[in-house]
Short mmCIF file of all heavy atoms in Angstrom, two decimals:
data_model
loop_
_atom_site.label_atom_id
_atom_site.label_comp_id
_atom_site.label_asym_id
_atom_site.label_seq_id
_atom_site.Cartn_x
_atom_site.Cartn_y
_atom_site.Cartn_z
N MET A 1 20.16 -51.24 -31.22
CA MET A 1 20.08 -49.90 -30.68
C MET A 1 20.35 -48.83 -31.92
O MET A 1 21.26 -49.05 -32.54
CB MET A 1 21.01 -49.67 -29.57
CG MET A 1 20.55 -48.74 -28.49
SD MET A 1 21.40 -48.99 -26.98
CE MET A 1 21.76 -47.32 -26.71
N PRO A 2 19.50 -47.89 -31.95
CA PRO A 2 19.69 -46.92 -33.10
C PRO A 2 20.90 -46.01 -32.81
O PRO A 2 21.42 -45.93 -31.62
CB PRO A 2 18.46 -46.08 -33.15
CG PRO A 2 17.88 -46.21 -31.73
CD PRO A 2 18.28 -47.52 -31.21
N ASP A 3 21.61 -45.56 -33.77
CA ASP A 3 22.66 -44.66 -33.77
C ASP A 3 22.24 -43.35 -33.11
O ASP A 3 21.07 -42.91 -33.23
CB ASP A 3 23.24 -44.30 -35.17
CG ASP A 3 23.88 -45.58 -35.76
OD1 ASP A 3 24.14 -46.62 -34.95
OD2 ASP A 3 24.22 -45.54 -36.92
N LYS A 4 23.16 -42.70 -32.42
CA LYS A 4 22.91 -41.39 -31.82
C LYS A 4 23.67 -40.40 -32.54
O LYS A 4 24.63 -40.61 -33.18
CB LYS A 4 23.18 -41.49 -30.36
CG LYS A 4 22.39 -42.37 -29.52
CD LYS A 4 22.90 -42.43 -28.15
CE LYS A 4 22.32 -43.75 -27.46
NZ LYS A 4 22.95 -43.88 -26.11
N ALA A 5 23.22 -39.08 -32.30
CA ALA A 5 24.03 -37.91 -32.92
C ALA A 5 24.58 -37.03 -31.72
O ALA A 5 23.95 -36.86 -30.74
CB ALA A 5 23.21 -37.10 -33.71
N CYS A 6 25.72 -36.67 -31.92
CA CYS A 6 26.45 -35.75 -30.97
C CYS A 6 25.81 -34.37 -31.00
O CYS A 6 25.64 -33.86 -32.01
CB CYS A 6 27.94 -35.62 -31.26
SG CYS A 6 28.85 -34.53 -30.24
N ARG A 7 25.38 -33.89 -29.81
CA ARG A 7 24.79 -32.59 -29.76
C ARG A 7 25.72 -31.42 -30.09
O ARG A 7 25.38 -30.42 -30.35
CB ARG A 7 24.16 -32.22 -28.34
CG ARG A 7 22.88 -33.13 -28.17
CD ARG A 7 22.11 -32.45 -27.08
NE ARG A 7 20.76 -33.21 -26.99
CZ ARG A 7 20.55 -34.06 -26.06
NH1 ARG A 7 21.42 -34.66 -25.31
NH2 ARG A 7 19.35 -34.78 -26.03
N LEU A 8 27.02 -31.66 -29.88
CA LEU A 8 28.05 -30.70 -30.10
C LEU A 8 28.43 -30.52 -31.62
O LEU A 8 28.44 -29.49 -32.16
CB LEU A 8 29.30 -30.98 -29.29
CG LEU A 8 29.05 -31.04 -27.72
CD1 LEU A 8 30.32 -31.17 -27.02
CD2 LEU A 8 28.31 -29.75 -27.22
N CYS A 9 28.82 -31.62 -32.20
CA CYS A 9 29.30 -31.61 -33.60
C CYS A 9 28.34 -32.21 -34.65
O CYS A 9 28.57 -32.18 -35.82
CB CYS A 9 30.69 -32.24 -33.66
SG CYS A 9 30.67 -34.01 -33.40
N ARG A 10 27.32 -32.86 -34.10
CA ARG A 10 26.33 -33.48 -34.95
C ARG A 10 26.76 -34.81 -35.64
O ARG A 10 26.14 -35.28 -36.48
CB ARG A 10 25.69 -32.54 -35.94
CG ARG A 10 25.16 -31.21 -35.37
CD ARG A 10 24.05 -30.71 -36.11
NE ARG A 10 24.40 -30.48 -37.51
CZ ARG A 10 24.94 -29.48 -38.10
NH1 ARG A 10 25.29 -28.48 -37.26
NH2 ARG A 10 25.26 -29.37 -39.25
N ARG A 11 27.87 -35.30 -35.35
CA ARG A 11 28.46 -36.52 -35.90
C ARG A 11 27.49 -37.69 -35.45
O ARG A 11 27.08 -37.69 -34.34
CB ARG A 11 29.87 -36.76 -35.27
CG ARG A 11 30.63 -37.92 -35.99
CD ARG A 11 31.89 -38.08 -35.32
NE ARG A 11 32.87 -37.03 -35.62
CZ ARG A 11 33.69 -36.98 -36.65
NH1 ARG A 11 33.74 -38.07 -37.30
NH2 ARG A 11 34.45 -35.96 -36.88
N ILE A 12 27.43 -38.57 -36.33
CA ILE A 12 26.55 -39.81 -35.87
C ILE A 12 27.46 -40.81 -35.27
O ILE A 12 28.52 -41.26 -35.81
CB ILE A 12 25.79 -40.37 -37.16
CG1 ILE A 12 24.71 -39.33 -37.48
CG2 ILE A 12 25.24 -41.69 -36.79
CD1 ILE A 12 24.04 -39.60 -38.84
N VAL A 13 27.12 -41.28 -34.08
CA VAL A 13 28.10 -42.00 -33.16
C VAL A 13 27.41 -43.31 -32.94
O VAL A 13 26.23 -43.42 -32.68
CB VAL A 13 28.16 -41.14 -31.88
CG1 VAL A 13 28.99 -41.95 -30.98
CG2 VAL A 13 28.79 -39.79 -32.11
N LYS A 14 28.37 -44.29 -33.00
CA LYS A 14 27.96 -45.70 -32.49
C LYS A 14 28.60 -45.82 -31.13
O LYS A 14 29.68 -45.65 -30.98
CB LYS A 14 28.53 -46.72 -33.56
CG LYS A 14 27.85 -46.75 -34.86
CD LYS A 14 28.24 -47.92 -35.70
CE LYS A 14 27.77 -47.76 -37.09
NZ LYS A 14 26.28 -47.84 -37.17
N GLY A 15 27.75 -46.06 -30.20
CA GLY A 15 28.25 -46.18 -28.75
C GLY A 15 27.72 -45.06 -28.08
O GLY A 15 26.78 -44.30 -28.46
N ASN A 16 28.41 -44.69 -27.01
CA ASN A 16 27.98 -43.69 -25.98
C ASN A 16 28.84 -42.43 -25.87
O ASN A 16 28.51 -41.57 -25.09
CB ASN A 16 27.68 -44.33 -24.62
CG ASN A 16 26.70 -45.33 -24.68
OD1 ASN A 16 25.51 -45.18 -25.16
ND2 ASN A 16 26.92 -46.62 -24.14
N ILE A 17 29.93 -42.41 -26.62
CA ILE A 17 30.86 -41.35 -26.53
C ILE A 17 31.23 -40.81 -28.00
O ILE A 17 31.45 -41.63 -28.73
CB ILE A 17 32.19 -41.71 -25.86
CG1 ILE A 17 31.87 -42.34 -24.46
CG2 ILE A 17 33.13 -40.47 -25.71
CD1 ILE A 17 31.97 -41.34 -23.34
N CYS A 18 31.13 -39.57 -28.14
CA CYS A 18 31.52 -39.03 -29.49
C CYS A 18 33.02 -39.12 -29.55
O CYS A 18 33.71 -38.55 -28.70
CB CYS A 18 31.02 -37.49 -29.64
SG CYS A 18 31.68 -36.81 -31.20
N PRO A 19 33.59 -39.65 -30.62
CA PRO A 19 35.08 -39.83 -30.68
C PRO A 19 35.75 -38.51 -30.95
O PRO A 19 36.90 -38.31 -30.61
CB PRO A 19 35.20 -40.83 -31.92
CG PRO A 19 33.98 -40.73 -32.67
CD PRO A 19 32.89 -40.40 -31.70
N ALA A 20 34.96 -37.58 -31.45
CA ALA A 20 35.54 -36.19 -31.80
C ALA A 20 35.56 -35.34 -30.49
O ALA A 20 36.59 -34.64 -30.36
CB ALA A 20 34.85 -35.54 -32.90
N CYS A 21 34.44 -35.24 -29.86
CA CYS A 21 34.32 -34.30 -28.76
C CYS A 21 34.50 -35.03 -27.38
O CYS A 21 34.67 -34.28 -26.47
CB CYS A 21 32.86 -33.91 -28.72
SG CYS A 21 32.34 -33.20 -30.29
N LYS A 22 34.62 -36.34 -27.31
CA LYS A 22 34.79 -37.03 -26.07
C LYS A 22 33.74 -36.77 -25.10
O LYS A 22 33.92 -36.63 -23.98
CB LYS A 22 36.15 -36.75 -25.45
CG LYS A 22 37.33 -36.72 -26.34
CD LYS A 22 37.74 -38.11 -26.75
CE LYS A 22 39.04 -38.21 -27.54
NZ LYS A 22 39.12 -39.38 -28.47
N THR A 23 32.49 -36.48 -25.66
CA THR A 23 31.39 -36.18 -24.85
C THR A 23 30.33 -37.27 -24.86
O THR A 23 30.26 -38.02 -25.95
CB THR A 23 30.75 -34.79 -25.23
OG1 THR A 23 29.56 -34.64 -24.38
CG2 THR A 23 30.32 -34.81 -26.60
N SER A 24 29.56 -37.45 -23.85
CA SER A 24 28.47 -38.37 -23.94
C SER A 24 27.21 -37.58 -24.12
O SER A 24 26.07 -38.10 -23.88
CB SER A 24 28.38 -39.21 -22.65
OG SER A 24 28.30 -38.42 -21.48
N ASP A 25 27.14 -36.41 -24.51
CA ASP A 25 26.10 -35.66 -24.86
C ASP A 25 25.50 -35.95 -26.16
O ASP A 25 25.67 -35.17 -27.20
CB ASP A 25 26.37 -34.12 -24.66
CG ASP A 25 25.20 -33.30 -24.67
OD1 ASP A 25 24.01 -33.77 -24.65
OD2 ASP A 25 25.35 -31.93 -24.92
N LEU A 26 24.79 -37.05 -26.15
CA LEU A 26 24.23 -37.56 -27.53
C LEU A 26 22.77 -37.57 -27.48
O LEU A 26 22.10 -37.67 -26.45
CB LEU A 26 24.80 -38.97 -27.70
CG LEU A 26 26.31 -39.19 -27.60
CD1 LEU A 26 26.67 -40.72 -27.76
CD2 LEU A 26 27.07 -38.36 -28.55
N SER A 27 22.19 -37.44 -28.71
CA SER A 27 20.75 -37.41 -28.80
C SER A 27 20.26 -38.53 -29.74
O SER A 27 20.82 -38.80 -30.76
CB SER A 27 20.31 -36.10 -29.40
OG SER A 27 18.91 -36.02 -29.67
N LYS A 28 19.09 -39.16 -29.30
CA LYS A 28 18.52 -40.20 -30.15
C LYS A 28 17.45 -39.32 -31.12
O LYS A 28 16.92 -40.05 -32.07
CB LYS A 28 17.76 -41.16 -29.41
CG LYS A 28 18.63 -42.29 -28.81
CD LYS A 28 18.00 -43.35 -28.14
CE LYS A 28 17.96 -43.08 -26.66
NZ LYS A 28 17.21 -44.25 -25.96
N SER A 29 17.22 -38.14 -30.81
CA SER A 29 16.21 -37.38 -31.65
C SER A 29 17.02 -36.61 -32.74
O SER A 29 17.42 -35.42 -32.43
CB SER A 29 15.46 -36.43 -30.86
OG SER A 29 14.75 -37.12 -29.94
N TRP A 30 17.26 -37.22 -33.95
CA TRP A 30 17.93 -36.52 -34.96
C TRP A 30 17.33 -36.89 -36.26
O TRP A 30 16.67 -37.90 -36.40
CB TRP A 30 19.48 -36.77 -34.93
CG TRP A 30 19.81 -38.12 -35.03
CD1 TRP A 30 19.99 -38.99 -33.84
CD2 TRP A 30 20.06 -38.93 -36.07
NE1 TRP A 30 20.38 -40.24 -34.30
CE2 TRP A 30 20.42 -40.17 -35.76
CE3 TRP A 30 20.12 -38.67 -37.49
CZ2 TRP A 30 20.70 -41.25 -36.66
CZ3 TRP A 30 20.41 -39.75 -38.42
CH2 TRP A 30 20.75 -41.02 -37.98
N LYS A 31 17.55 -36.01 -37.25
CA LYS A 31 16.93 -36.20 -38.63
C LYS A 31 17.88 -36.03 -39.66
O LYS A 31 18.63 -35.00 -39.64
CB LYS A 31 15.74 -35.29 -38.72
CG LYS A 31 14.46 -35.81 -38.20
CD LYS A 31 13.28 -35.14 -38.57
CE LYS A 31 12.07 -35.47 -37.86
NZ LYS A 31 10.83 -34.50 -37.99
N GLY A 32 17.86 -36.88 -40.71
CA GLY A 32 18.74 -36.56 -41.97
C GLY A 32 20.15 -36.91 -41.75
O GLY A 32 20.65 -36.77 -40.66
N ILE A 33 20.76 -37.51 -42.68
CA ILE A 33 22.17 -37.79 -42.65
C ILE A 33 22.83 -37.01 -43.76
O ILE A 33 22.54 -37.01 -44.99
CB ILE A 33 22.35 -39.42 -42.86
CG1 ILE A 33 21.82 -40.05 -41.67
CG2 ILE A 33 23.87 -39.70 -43.12
CD1 ILE A 33 21.96 -41.62 -41.74
N LEU A 34 23.97 -36.29 -43.40
CA LEU A 34 24.82 -35.70 -44.32
C LEU A 34 26.15 -36.38 -44.32
O LEU A 34 26.84 -36.63 -43.22
CB LEU A 34 25.04 -34.28 -43.76
CG LEU A 34 25.98 -33.36 -44.65
CD1 LEU A 34 25.44 -33.25 -45.97
CD2 LEU A 34 26.10 -31.98 -44.00
N VAL A 35 26.55 -36.99 -45.33
CA VAL A 35 27.89 -37.69 -45.44
C VAL A 35 28.79 -36.71 -46.03
O VAL A 35 28.64 -36.32 -47.23
CB VAL A 35 27.74 -38.95 -46.36
CG1 VAL A 35 29.15 -39.75 -46.32
CG2 VAL A 35 26.72 -39.97 -45.72
N VAL A 36 29.89 -36.46 -45.21
CA VAL A 36 30.84 -35.45 -45.72
C VAL A 36 32.14 -36.28 -45.96
O VAL A 36 32.74 -37.04 -45.15
CB VAL A 36 31.21 -34.41 -44.65
CG1 VAL A 36 32.36 -33.70 -45.06
CG2 VAL A 36 30.05 -33.61 -44.36
N VAL A 37 32.50 -36.27 -47.35
CA VAL A 37 33.66 -36.92 -47.78
C VAL A 37 34.92 -35.91 -47.84
O VAL A 37 35.99 -36.19 -47.38
CB VAL A 37 33.54 -37.45 -49.15
CG1 VAL A 37 34.71 -38.19 -49.66
CG2 VAL A 37 32.33 -38.48 -49.21
N ASN A 38 34.55 -34.62 -48.24
CA ASN A 38 35.53 -33.64 -48.36
C ASN A 38 35.18 -32.47 -47.50
O ASN A 38 34.28 -31.70 -47.92
CB ASN A 38 35.67 -33.20 -49.90
CG ASN A 38 36.58 -32.10 -49.99
OD1 ASN A 38 37.36 -31.70 -49.12
ND2 ASN A 38 36.54 -31.45 -51.20
N PRO A 39 35.80 -32.29 -46.40
CA PRO A 39 35.48 -31.12 -45.46
C PRO A 39 35.75 -29.79 -46.17
O PRO A 39 35.32 -28.79 -45.60
CB PRO A 39 36.32 -31.30 -44.21
CG PRO A 39 37.11 -32.60 -44.51
CD PRO A 39 36.86 -33.06 -45.84
N GLU A 40 36.55 -29.73 -47.21
CA GLU A 40 36.75 -28.41 -47.89
C GLU A 40 35.66 -28.06 -48.81
O GLU A 40 35.57 -26.96 -49.40
CB GLU A 40 38.01 -28.58 -48.78
CG GLU A 40 39.35 -28.90 -48.00
CD GLU A 40 39.68 -27.73 -47.04
OE1 GLU A 40 39.74 -26.52 -47.43
OE2 GLU A 40 39.79 -28.01 -45.77
N SER A 41 34.67 -28.93 -49.00
CA SER A 41 33.56 -28.66 -49.90
C SER A 41 32.71 -27.53 -49.35
O SER A 41 32.67 -27.31 -48.09
CB SER A 41 32.73 -29.87 -50.22
OG SER A 41 32.03 -30.26 -49.05
N ASP A 42 31.92 -26.80 -50.30
CA ASP A 42 31.13 -25.81 -49.74
C ASP A 42 29.94 -26.31 -48.79
O ASP A 42 29.60 -25.57 -47.81
CB ASP A 42 30.36 -25.13 -50.97
CG ASP A 42 31.34 -24.34 -51.80
OD1 ASP A 42 32.43 -23.94 -51.19
OD2 ASP A 42 31.07 -23.95 -52.95
N ILE A 43 29.40 -27.51 -49.09
CA ILE A 43 28.38 -28.08 -48.25
C ILE A 43 28.87 -28.27 -46.83
O ILE A 43 28.30 -27.86 -45.81
CB ILE A 43 27.83 -29.39 -48.82
CG1 ILE A 43 27.19 -29.16 -50.14
CG2 ILE A 43 26.93 -30.03 -47.82
CD1 ILE A 43 26.84 -30.28 -50.98
N ALA A 44 30.08 -28.76 -46.68
CA ALA A 44 30.59 -29.05 -45.35
C ALA A 44 30.97 -27.73 -44.67
O ALA A 44 30.67 -27.60 -43.45
CB ALA A 44 31.98 -29.84 -45.56
N LYS A 45 31.47 -26.67 -45.42
CA LYS A 45 31.75 -25.50 -44.82
C LYS A 45 30.49 -24.74 -44.35
O LYS A 45 30.46 -24.18 -43.23
CB LYS A 45 32.51 -24.56 -45.86
CG LYS A 45 33.99 -24.87 -45.93
CD LYS A 45 34.67 -23.95 -46.86
CE LYS A 45 36.16 -24.40 -47.03
NZ LYS A 45 36.84 -23.78 -48.22
N GLU A 46 29.40 -24.84 -45.15
CA GLU A 46 28.16 -24.28 -44.78
C GLU A 46 27.62 -24.82 -43.47
O GLU A 46 26.95 -24.20 -42.60
CB GLU A 46 27.15 -24.49 -45.83
CG GLU A 46 26.36 -23.24 -46.24
CD GLU A 46 25.52 -23.43 -47.56
OE1 GLU A 46 24.50 -24.04 -47.41
OE2 GLU A 46 26.00 -22.86 -48.53
N ALA A 47 27.77 -26.20 -43.38
CA ALA A 47 27.28 -26.87 -42.18
C ALA A 47 28.30 -26.84 -40.97
O ALA A 47 27.92 -27.34 -39.88
CB ALA A 47 27.08 -28.38 -42.46
N GLY A 48 29.40 -26.16 -41.22
CA GLY A 48 30.41 -26.06 -40.13
C GLY A 48 31.11 -27.23 -39.80
O GLY A 48 31.55 -27.44 -38.67
N ILE A 49 31.27 -28.16 -40.75
CA ILE A 49 31.81 -29.52 -40.56
C ILE A 49 33.32 -29.52 -40.99
O ILE A 49 33.61 -28.96 -42.14
CB ILE A 49 31.07 -30.52 -41.19
CG1 ILE A 49 29.76 -30.81 -40.51
CG2 ILE A 49 31.85 -31.86 -41.34
CD1 ILE A 49 28.68 -31.56 -41.24
N THR A 50 34.24 -29.96 -40.12
CA THR A 50 35.58 -29.80 -40.53
C THR A 50 36.36 -31.14 -40.62
O THR A 50 37.60 -31.21 -40.80
CB THR A 50 36.32 -29.05 -39.44
OG1 THR A 50 36.16 -29.63 -38.01
CG2 THR A 50 35.88 -27.53 -39.27
N ALA A 51 35.59 -32.18 -40.41
CA ALA A 51 36.28 -33.59 -40.60
C ALA A 51 35.28 -34.45 -41.37
O ALA A 51 34.07 -34.33 -41.35
CB ALA A 51 36.50 -34.16 -39.14
N PRO A 52 35.74 -35.30 -42.17
CA PRO A 52 34.95 -36.22 -42.89
C PRO A 52 34.15 -37.24 -41.92
O PRO A 52 34.66 -37.43 -40.88
CB PRO A 52 35.92 -37.11 -43.77
CG PRO A 52 37.28 -36.59 -43.68
CD PRO A 52 37.19 -35.57 -42.48
N GLY A 53 32.98 -37.64 -42.34
CA GLY A 53 32.22 -38.54 -41.54
C GLY A 53 30.72 -38.39 -41.90
O GLY A 53 30.24 -37.68 -42.83
N LYS A 54 29.84 -39.05 -41.12
CA LYS A 54 28.58 -38.92 -41.16
C LYS A 54 27.91 -38.03 -40.07
O LYS A 54 28.22 -38.24 -38.94
CB LYS A 54 27.83 -40.33 -40.93
CG LYS A 54 27.86 -41.26 -42.16
CD LYS A 54 26.87 -42.31 -41.70
CE LYS A 54 26.90 -43.57 -42.32
NZ LYS A 54 26.00 -44.62 -41.58
N TYR A 55 27.09 -37.19 -40.50
CA TYR A 55 26.47 -36.06 -39.61
C TYR A 55 24.94 -36.08 -39.67
O TYR A 55 24.46 -36.28 -40.80
CB TYR A 55 27.19 -34.83 -39.93
CG TYR A 55 28.59 -34.64 -39.67
CD1 TYR A 55 29.42 -35.14 -40.69
CD2 TYR A 55 29.05 -34.32 -38.49
CE1 TYR A 55 30.83 -35.00 -40.52
CE2 TYR A 55 30.44 -34.21 -38.18
CZ TYR A 55 31.29 -34.59 -39.31
OH TYR A 55 32.74 -34.55 -38.95
N ALA A 56 24.33 -35.78 -38.65
CA ALA A 56 22.95 -35.53 -38.60
C ALA A 56 22.66 -34.15 -39.16
O ALA A 56 23.38 -33.25 -38.80
CB ALA A 56 22.34 -35.80 -37.29
N ILE A 57 21.60 -33.99 -39.82
CA ILE A 57 21.32 -32.67 -40.36
C ILE A 57 20.67 -31.84 -39.24
O ILE A 57 21.01 -30.60 -39.12
CB ILE A 57 20.39 -32.65 -41.61
CG1 ILE A 57 21.26 -33.22 -42.76
CG2 ILE A 57 19.86 -31.32 -42.07
CD1 ILE A 57 20.49 -33.68 -44.00
N ARG A 58 19.72 -32.45 -38.51
CA ARG A 58 19.09 -31.73 -37.39
C ARG A 58 19.34 -32.66 -36.17
O ARG A 58 18.98 -33.91 -36.17
CB ARG A 58 17.64 -31.46 -37.62
CG ARG A 58 17.55 -30.30 -38.55
CD ARG A 58 16.10 -29.91 -38.65
NE ARG A 58 15.96 -28.89 -39.74
CZ ARG A 58 14.80 -28.32 -40.17
NH1 ARG A 58 13.78 -28.78 -39.56
NH2 ARG A 58 14.76 -27.39 -41.01
N VAL A 59 19.62 -32.10 -34.99
CA VAL A 59 19.59 -32.77 -33.71
C VAL A 59 18.89 -31.92 -32.73
O VAL A 59 19.00 -30.79 -32.62
CB VAL A 59 21.14 -32.85 -33.20
CG1 VAL A 59 21.17 -33.58 -31.91
CG2 VAL A 59 21.99 -33.56 -34.22
N LYS A 60 18.03 -32.66 -32.06
CA LYS A 60 17.18 -32.06 -31.06
C LYS A 60 17.98 -31.96 -29.77
O LYS A 60 18.68 -32.86 -29.38
CB LYS A 60 15.89 -32.73 -30.79
CG LYS A 60 14.81 -32.25 -31.71
CD LYS A 60 13.46 -32.83 -31.16
CE LYS A 60 12.43 -32.72 -32.26
NZ LYS A 60 11.16 -33.45 -31.88
ZN1 LIG B 1 30.81 -34.66 -31.18
#
């Protein structure tokens, strides 16, 4: 089964619940992966990401 992306935080989730948002509002329609190692970086700040992890760039 393909990974899904959380519609709220765009985190790429394995399973049916986002561990950050505790929501099952996940999408199979997403594009691009952004790997955030340092949430203090400009790229993470621009994307509004506050925790390290793998994120989808676009979620439908
Ligand atoms: Zn989430």
Side-chain angles (χ1 to χ4, degrees):
M1 214 159 129
D3 291 345
K4 295 176 196 169
C6 174
R7 284 200 175 94
L8 302 182
C9 69
R10 308 209 306 275
R11 185 185 293 266
I12 292 171
V13 176
K14 290 187 190 296
N16 293 313
I17 304 267
C18 172
C21 309
K22 315 286 184 203
T23 178
S24 59
D25 188 8
L26 310 177
S27 173
K28 277 188 264 182
S29 301
W30 55 270
K31 275 187 185 170
I33 291 181
L34 178 63
V35 178
V36 173
V37 178
N38 175 14
E40 298 296 310
S41 67
D42 290 344
I43 293 170
K45 282 182 181 166
E46 225 170 79
I49 288 166
T50 56
K54 272 195 202 172
Y55 295 83
I57 292 169
R58 283 189 189 176
V59 181
K60 268 192 197 171

